Each structure stands twice: as structure tokens, then as C-alpha cells.
Amino acid sequence: MAEPKPLVAVIMGSKSDWETMRQAGELLASLGIPHEARVLSAHRTPAETAEYVSQAEARGFEVIIAAAGGAAHLAGVCAAHTLLPVLGVPMESASLKGMDSLLSTVQMPAGIPVGTLAIGPAGARNAALLAAAILANSRPELRERLRSFREEQRRKVLRETLP
Ligand code: RP5
């Protein structure tokens, strides 16, 4: 049987971001959301990034997750080339602990929005959940899977015991 078409594109500026961004991919997969992960950089592969994002809507993607660190322009560049919602994940950087990535991603000029998540793994996971929530607006079965995710999370917290 043919693979379902990916709905979410997970783009990251470097393979070094994968350790964090694989968590977004795993969460999307656990919710049954087909996605595609690619390394594309706003600075090192500007033409290929623009081409990929420009074609994303025609390829059937509905959400783009873009992760980058340092002078993190990837999410903003993606947003400039598409009308699809772009969720930005600032990577934790060695020198400034991700504050550079956060400010570069979040401080977009009015007119080109990027929905920016938290720095690092929390942002990666929440980007996947926010992408799922966007897709769930028109997919009742996905909405139920998200509801189950929240319910399992609630139960897990309530099961916690302290020493
Ligand atoms: C950014 O520069 C990437 O998103 C990465 O977070 C950071 C460092 O990249 P590498 O030098 O590890 O390839 O473009």
C-alpha cells in the first residue's frame, strides 16, 4: 500500500538539530500524522529552502515546523515563502543557551507570522502538538487522539508518587 502523503514538514537548519527535533517526529508519528523531516538551512542552502517551502502547499503539506539555532532565520524565511502556518522551534545553542535562537525566531516583523515555541525539546514536542491541533480542526479522529494524549498525560501526573 502507498505511504500516506505527509501533512507536516519538519525542517531543521542542521543535522545537529536532529537529536532535539526527532522528538517532534516521534510525537507526530505516535498521533498517526504523516510527516517528512529534512535538513535545510536559511543560510547554507537558501535557494533549496525557498524552493522546498514554495512547493510545500502544492505537495499537500498543511503545517511547517522549522527549527534552527543561533542566528536562527529558518522559520522566518519559511514563513516568507508560504501561506501555510509555520511553527518555529529555537534550538538550544552552546554559546547563548538558545536565547539567540529564541529572539531570532520570535521577533518577526508584522505581516509575516511565525508561531514560536519554547527553546529545545519542550518546543519540539509542543510544535508537534500544535501542528496536531491545527490539523485536528478538520479531522475529528485526530481530535480524539489528541484528547486521549491529554488524558494519558493527566493520569500519568496523578499516578506520581513522591519519596
Ligand atoms: C543553525 O546553526 C542550525 O540550525 C544549528 O542549530 C546551528 C549550528 O549548526 P551546525 O554548525 O551544528 O551545523 O543553522
Side-chain angles (χ1 to χ4, degrees):
M1 209 166 71
E3 290 277 309
K5 274 193 163 190
L7 293 172
V8 179
V10 181
I11 307 170
M12 63 214 81
S14 168
K15 194 174 179 184
S16 64
D17 301 324
W18 176 238
E19 206 40 49
T20 301
M21 292 314 294
R22 72 187 316 151
Q23 300 184 42
E26 285 163 8
L27 196 37
L28 288 168
S30 76
L31 290 165
I33 299 170
H35 65 281
E36 179 173 285
R38 284 284 304 268
V39 177
L40 283 168
S41 163
H43 304 127
R44 292 165 175 159
T45 63
E48 290 81 0
T49 300
E51 189 186 1
Y52 180 86
V53 176
S54 302
Q55 292 170 359
E57 190 171 342
R59 287 187 56 205
F61 287 108
E62 295 187 30
V63 183
I64 293 176
I65 295 174
H73 298 125
L74 184 61
V77 166
C78 288
H81 286 285
T82 184
L83 291 175
L84 294 174
V86 176
L87 308 179
V89 186
M91 294 294 93
E92 186 170 333
S93 54
S95 41
L96 295 174
K97 297 282 171 215
M99 279 306 290
D100 42 358
S101 324
L102 173 64
L103 296 178
S104 306
T105 304
V106 79
Q107 286 292 71
M108 288 296 292
I112 304 292
V114 167
T116 304
L117 286 300
I119 297 169
R125 290 175 61 78
N126 278 344
L129 290 170
L130 196 48
I134 293 167
L135 295 168
N137 279 332
S138 57
R139 294 175 176 83
E141 72 293 345
L142 176 55
R143 198 171 193 77
E144 285 317 302
R145 289 202 290 278
L146 262 183
R147 205 185 300 285
S148 302
F149 174 90
R150 290 273 180 108
E151 177 57 17
E152 177 51 33
Q153 185 168 246
R154 186 183 75 86
R155 287 184 195 190
K156 195 171 162 219
V157 170
L158 294 176
R159 278 199 303 269
E160 301 285 15
T161 55
L162 299 173

